């Protein structure tokens, strides 16, 4: 999600002028650093929520603690006592977690502040838009858990890969699509069930960014500016979707070649690892 900072997240901050921000899913803290810097300049409060950030993550550093608050908890435990003007969801990418994160956010923000926040949801497109990922499958109630395996995902193939594939170290749902499967499905189900008024926009690229914004909790000028930023002309949307398809093809082709090399211990392998990290945005 950090790669959406310059293009969408920072512009959204300038429109919404949040006085408080929550980030769910910090990993190494690349996005957290941007958000904390924004809050420090704007005099706002910043909360990062992640039960297992990357080793050495910025959110666990003294520099972060001086200005932000880190919650070492899963989102569904942290969110019932937090409210904010802007909330970023990039944690456990499955239907159960995202649906309940949105439900909790709506209820808690209305209860604690009387206002709804702007919510950004990452990974609404391939591969997790219509397929669950579980960091810890045992934390998801069995009735909401899809059949899953610790195997990777490949393009153009609904079944999981035998070896390699995208996010092969994670537990991924065996099937793509169907009821209660994936992040976009969770957002759509939430929007179908809520009694509140939310606008929803989808931005293609870097696995898809969803933006939910509440017209009644924003000024008409803020709503117009968000509409202008997030309503893409059809030709530009098509262009972004094609670029994303090509990026994913390159990513998966690199991954396939990496596995074909079978751990070849030469400089070629380091080059592959470097390219894979760059294209997946995991260099930090
Ligand atoms: C994709 S990474 C986040 C990347 C980060 N937002 C960025 O843009 O650089 C997902 C993170 O979510 C965290 N996570 C997993 N389950 C979570 C949960 N239930 N609540 C909060 N964070 C969770 C993981 O520990 C991991 O660090």
């Amino acid at each position: 999600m950090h790669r959406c900072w310059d293009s969408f997240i920072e512009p959204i901050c300038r429109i919404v002028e949040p006085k408080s921000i929550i980030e769910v899913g910090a990993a190494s803290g690349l996005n957290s650093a941007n958000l904390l810097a924004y809050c420090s300049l704007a005099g706002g409060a910043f909360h990062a929520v992640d039960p297992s950030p990357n080793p050495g993550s910025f959110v666990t550093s003294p520099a972060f603690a001086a200005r932000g608050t880190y919650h070492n908890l899963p989102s569904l435990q942290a969110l019932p006592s937090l409210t904010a003007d802007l909330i970023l969801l990039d944690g456990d990418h499955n239907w159960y977690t995202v649906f309940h994160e949105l439900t909790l956010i709506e209820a808690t923000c209305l209860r604690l502040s009387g206002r709804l926040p702007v919510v950004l949801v990452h990974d609404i497109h391939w591969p997790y838009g219509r397929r669950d990922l579980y960091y810890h499958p045992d934390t998801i109630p069995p009735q909401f858990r899809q059949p899953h395996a610790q195997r990777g995902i490949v393009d153009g193939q609904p079944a999981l890969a035998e070896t390699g594939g995208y996010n092969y170290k994670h537990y991924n749902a065996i099937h793509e699509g169907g009821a209660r499967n994936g992040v976009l499905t969770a957002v759509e189900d939430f929007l179908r069930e809520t009694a509140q008024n939310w606008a929803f926009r989808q931005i293609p690229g870097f696995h898809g960014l969803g933006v939910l914004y509440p017209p009644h909790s924003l000024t008409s000028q803020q709503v117009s500016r968000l509409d202008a930023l997030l309503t893409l002309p059809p030709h530009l949307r098509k262009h972004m979707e094609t670029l994303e398809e090509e990026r994913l093809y390159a990513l998966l082709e690199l991954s396939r070649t990496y596995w074909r090399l079978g751990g070849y211990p030469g400089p070629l392998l380091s080059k592959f690892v470097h390219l894979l990290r760059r294209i997946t945005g995991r260099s930090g």
Side-chain angles (χ1 to χ4, degrees):
M1 192 178 202
H2 60 271
R3 288 197 288 180
C4 304
W5 173 257
D6 289 328
S7 46
F8 287 98
I9 304 174
E10 203 263 344
I12 288 171
C13 284
R14 275 195 269 114
I15 295 170
V16 177
E17 298 181 334
K19 288 283 167 248
S20 48
I21 300 181
I22 300 168
E23 179 191 32
V24 167
S28 54
L30 293 175
N31 219 15
S32 323
N34 291 327
L35 294 161
L36 186 68
Y38 174 86
C39 283
S40 300
L41 274 178
F46 178 56
H47 297 261
V49 177
D50 195 322
S52 47
N54 295 4
S57 172
F58 175 59
V59 297
T60 57
S61 70
F64 181 87
R67 290 177 295 158
T69 309
Y70 165 55
H71 303 260
N72 185 358
L73 286 172
S75 55
L76 299 184
Q77 287 179 37
L79 288 171
S81 55
L82 294 175
T83 182
D85 301 322
L86 176 67
I87 302 182
L88 295 88
L89 297 181
D90 193 16
D92 207 5
H93 299 313
N94 54 71
W95 187 93
Y96 175 82
T97 303
V98 175
F99 180 84
H100 289 95
E101 283 172 342
L102 291 169
T103 307
L104 269 177
I105 285 168
E106 183 178 274
T108 309
C109 289
L110 284 177
R111 178 169 51 85
L112 296 180
S113 70
R115 288 160 51 86
L116 293 172
V118 172
V119 184
L120 311 186
V121 188
H122 196 227
D123 287 276
I124 60 160
H125 295 154
W126 199 90
Y128 293 120
R130 304 295 182 193
R131 185 192 294 268
D132 275 3
L133 165 154
Y134 308 108
Y135 274 84
H136 300 288
D138 51 332
T139 62
I140 308 296
Q143 67 272 32
F144 294 107
R145 208 165 49 202
Q146 299 286 337
H148 55 277
Q150 197 172 20
R151 302 212 316 257
I153 306 168
V154 275
D155 46 335
Q157 174 187 313
L160 295 178
E162 287 307 319
T163 52
Y166 187 78
N167 261 357
Y168 65 90
K169 289 183 183 165
H170 284 295
Y171 293 93
N172 295 303
I174 287 172
H175 305 291
E176 185 173 24
R180 293 183 168 176
N181 197 7
V183 174
L184 184 56
T185 309
V187 174
E188 289 168 349
D189 289 349
F190 166 76
L191 290 173
R192 200 174 302 114
E193 291 186 22
T194 179
Q196 302 298 321
N197 183 16
W198 293 91
F200 177 50
R201 298 282 182 273
Q202 301 185 35
I203 306 296
F206 298 122
H207 307 297
L209 178 70
V211 184
L212 292 108
Y213 53 105
H216 296 324
S217 294
L218 297 165
T219 66
S220 56
Q221 201 195 21
Q222 285 173 320
V223 174
S224 310
R225 290 177 67 197
L226 285 172
D227 286 343
L229 176 72
L230 301 168
T231 308
L232 302 174
H235 68 280
L236 183 57
R237 174 177 297 280
K238 179 72 199 138
H239 189 69
M240 291 164 76
E241 286 168 353
T242 306
L243 281 171
E244 177 70 344
E245 275 166 30
E246 293 300 319
R247 187 185 77 91
L248 291 170
Y249 175 77
L251 185 162
L252 289 153
E253 204 46 42
L254 272 174
S255 162
R256 275 188 279 272
T257 311
Y258 172 88
W259 281 92
R260 265 184 237 125
L261 286 173
Y264 174 73
L268 190 57
L269 188 67
S270 333
K271 183 76 182 159
F272 266 94
V273 171
H274 170 77
L275 280 172
L276 269 170
R277 287 211 172 122
R278 190 183 162 104
I279 210 162
T280 54
R282 288 183 188 150
S283 45

